[in-house]
Amino acid sequence: MFGHEAGDRMLIALASELAKSFGQEMSCRFGGDEFLAIALDERLDKVQAKSYQILSNLKKQCYQCYHVSIGIKQAKADHLNVSDLLYHADKAMRKSKEEFYKKAESDRRAR
């Protein structure tokens, strides 16, 4: 809709927001448009608050035309399995994305 350059600017803005919230050492681009942030020893509600703040900051930067899906998974140190964490976080992100598209579809039908 806005072109590759606009999409690239959005990805750069998202990477910047992740680094500000979680630290540059604890955040990275994981795939094409997927990012990963690791929060050690932080409560789930604090991680969620940071995530919502990132979304809010992106909207303030005029990226409200884009949708960012977030998946969060928490594990205790004695049950830390990185593959499982990534799998469950990805699953949560896909659920968020699915809910967005269901809502977007019903919004289009209402027009």
Side-chain angles (χ1 to χ4, degrees):
M1 180 174 183
F2 298 106
H4 291 291
E5 286 181 25
D8 289 345
R9 285 191 302 273
M10 165 44 167
L11 293 174
I12 291 167
L14 177 56
S16 175
E17 290 297 326
L18 277 172
K20 281 193 282 184
S21 292
F22 292 97
Q24 197 152 10
E25 315 78 35
M26 302 305 278
S27 58
C28 66
R29 190 170 181 180
F30 192 64
D33 63 352
E34 294 183 354
F35 291 81
L36 174 68
I38 299 170
L40 300 174
D41 299 323
E42 284 193 45
R43 292 188 345 246
L44 181 59
D45 61 335
K46 188 170 182 181
V47 172
Q48 290 169 325
K50 285 182 177 185
S51 299
Y52 295 134
Q53 186 62 52
I54 288 169
L55 296 177
S56 176
N57 291 347
L58 290 172
K59 285 183 181 181
K60 288 177 190 171
Q61 296 175 48
C62 299
Y63 291 107
Q64 65 267 19
C65 297
Y66 295 90
H67 175 73
V68 176
S69 296
I70 296 175
I72 299 172
K73 180 61 181 165
Q74 182 180 32
K76 298 199 184 290
D78 58 344
H79 290 98
L80 185 62
N81 179 310
V82 175
S83 294
D84 286 347
L85 279 171
L86 290 174
Y87 172 79
H88 289 292
D90 187 60
K91 193 173 174 179
M93 183 272 305
R94 291 182 190 280
K95 183 179 179 186
S96 171
K97 188 181 284 190
E98 184 179 298
E99 289 169 2
F100 168 77
Y101 282 114
K102 281 182 185 176
K103 183 177 184 281
E105 181 63 28
S106 64
D107 286 351
R108 275 189 253 148
R109 289 184 192 160
R111 291 183 195 160

